[in-house]
């Protein structure tokens, strides 16, 4: 019995590694460069280049950075992400139905309190301002400059995304009973705790203690992304939605890892501080 369980765990972990590789590979630029590929250059390339030069700023808002234009339309190679997403969902499906110790009931009042803290808490608003400042430095989205007005638009866009996402998670969680809170691992090994953090990024815990794919999180993330697409005039296309889902899944995995190992890092930091400043 133990050997079968270990074999299943190794298979699931291998699938997660493959899924992560596929997701990261997709996130790398994978677009045709028409200017250096004559076979893909349209017959009206020179006249189209003149028109693109007159509307360069608008194009940066309407087409994701790095996409060349072909007669005014982006040319995209077939996305590789569906394989990675399929493996991620396979992990979620393999983890579903796993019996867990019954958690404390997640009452509607607790959901509401957590929603207010995550959405409007002073600490969370400050962190959002820091994240927006990073986007300001990186010029994301690229169609906005580095001025104060652009920072305000970036902050408003990020805040709207947070409100939509957290509100969707609150309502859908009340309807389905999914618990998206992160539960720390009881394992003493690093790889066991890391696996728990990665698995929790695509699964949710149900009231009976079982796990299933976190459908409410997937839905809430996509809804938030679509609701803010108009800010940068982003065309809503299937490949863009799949890429956004991969980004949100990786972001959630990073958050879970910080939640899992954050207390340990704080303890190490305190010990180092006391050694450096004994008095």
């Amino acid at each position: 019995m133990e050997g079968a369980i270990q074999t299943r765990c190794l298979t699931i972990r291998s699938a997660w590694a493959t899924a992560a590789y596929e997701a990261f590979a997709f996130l790398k630029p994978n677009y045709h460069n028409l200017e250096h590929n004559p076979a893909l250059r349209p017959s009206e390339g020179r006249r189209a280049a003149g028109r693109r030069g007159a509307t360069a700023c608008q194009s940066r808002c309407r087409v994701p950075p790095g996409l060349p234009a072909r007669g005014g339309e982006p040319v995209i190679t077939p996305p590789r992400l569906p394989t990675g997403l399929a493996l991620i969902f396979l992990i979620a499906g393999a983890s579903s139905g796993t019996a867990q110790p019954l958690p404390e009931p997640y009452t509607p009042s607790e959901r509401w309190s957590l929603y207010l803290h995550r959405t409007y808490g002073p600490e969370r608003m400050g962190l959002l301002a820091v994240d927006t400042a990073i986007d300001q430095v990186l010029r994301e989205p690229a169609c906005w400059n580095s001025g104060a007005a652009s920072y305000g638009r970036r902050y408003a866009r990020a805040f709207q995304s947070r409100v939509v996402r957290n509100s969707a998670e609150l309502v859908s969680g009340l309807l389905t009973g999914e618990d998206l809170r992160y539960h720390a691992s009881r394992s003493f090994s690093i790889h066991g705790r890391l696996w728990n953090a990665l698995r929790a990024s695509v699964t949710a815990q149900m009231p009976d203690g079982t796990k299933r794919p976190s459908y409410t999180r997937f839905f809430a993330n996509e809804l938030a992304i679509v609701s803010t697409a108009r800010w940068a005039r982003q065309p809503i296309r299937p490949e863009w939605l799949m890429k956004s889902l991969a980004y949100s899944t990786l972001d959630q995995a990073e958050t879970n890892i910080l939640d899992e190992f954050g207390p340990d890092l704080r303890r190490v930091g305190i010990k180092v501080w006391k050694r450096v400043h004994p008095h």
Side-chain angles (χ1 to χ4, degrees), residues 55-239:
T55 59
C57 183
Q58 183 180 5
S59 298
R60 284 185 299 172
C61 287
R62 298 187 61 85
V63 181
L67 282 177
R70 182 176 182 177
E73 294 294 330
V75 178
I76 309 173
T77 57
R80 296 179 55 194
L81 190 58
T83 303
L85 284 180
L87 290 174
I88 290 176
F89 290 130
L90 176 62
I91 297 168
S95 302
S96 63
T98 304
Q100 299 288 336
L102 289 177
E104 294 292 331
Y106 195 14
T107 63
S109 61
E110 290 177 336
R111 291 179 183 270
W112 177 251
S113 298
L114 183 60
Y115 166 78
L116 293 178
H117 170 71
R118 294 177 57 211
T119 310
Y120 307 103
E123 178 183 354
R124 295 304 179 97
M125 298 295 288
L127 291 175
L128 185 63
V130 174
D131 290 341
T132 305
I134 296 175
D135 289 340
Q136 181 88 346
V137 173
L138 298 178
R139 292 287 300 276
E140 175 62 33
C143 59
W144 294 339
N145 57 31
S146 301
S150 295
Y151 178 85
R153 284 193 291 268
R154 288 185 173 98
Y155 188 90
R157 174 173 172 260
F159 182 67
Q160 176 185 334
S161 177
R162 170 187 291 183
V163 171
V164 172
R165 181 178 60 254
N166 292 352
S167 299
E169 287 184 359
L170 173 65
V171 175
S172 56
L174 289 172
L175 294 176
T176 63
E178 285 189 3
D179 184 358
L180 299 178
R181 295 175 299 177
Y182 180 69
H183 301 276
S185 174
R186 297 186 178 185
S187 174
F188 294 100
S189 63
I190 294 179
H191 69 273
R193 298 173 64 186
L194 181 62
W195 169 244
N196 180 72
L198 296 177
R199 182 180 60 179
S201 64
V202 293
T203 58
Q205 186 158 289
M206 303 304 294
D208 60 358
T210 59
K211 288 186 177 295
R212 76 174 191 183
S214 53
Y215 300 116
T216 57
R217 174 174 286 147
F218 300 149
F219 166 74
N221 284 333
E222 292 299 284
L223 182 62
I225 291 169
V226 170
S227 69
T228 57
R230 63 180 181 83
W231 282 87
R233 300 179 182 179
Q234 169 66 53
I236 299 176
R237 296 189 174 94
E239 63 272 9

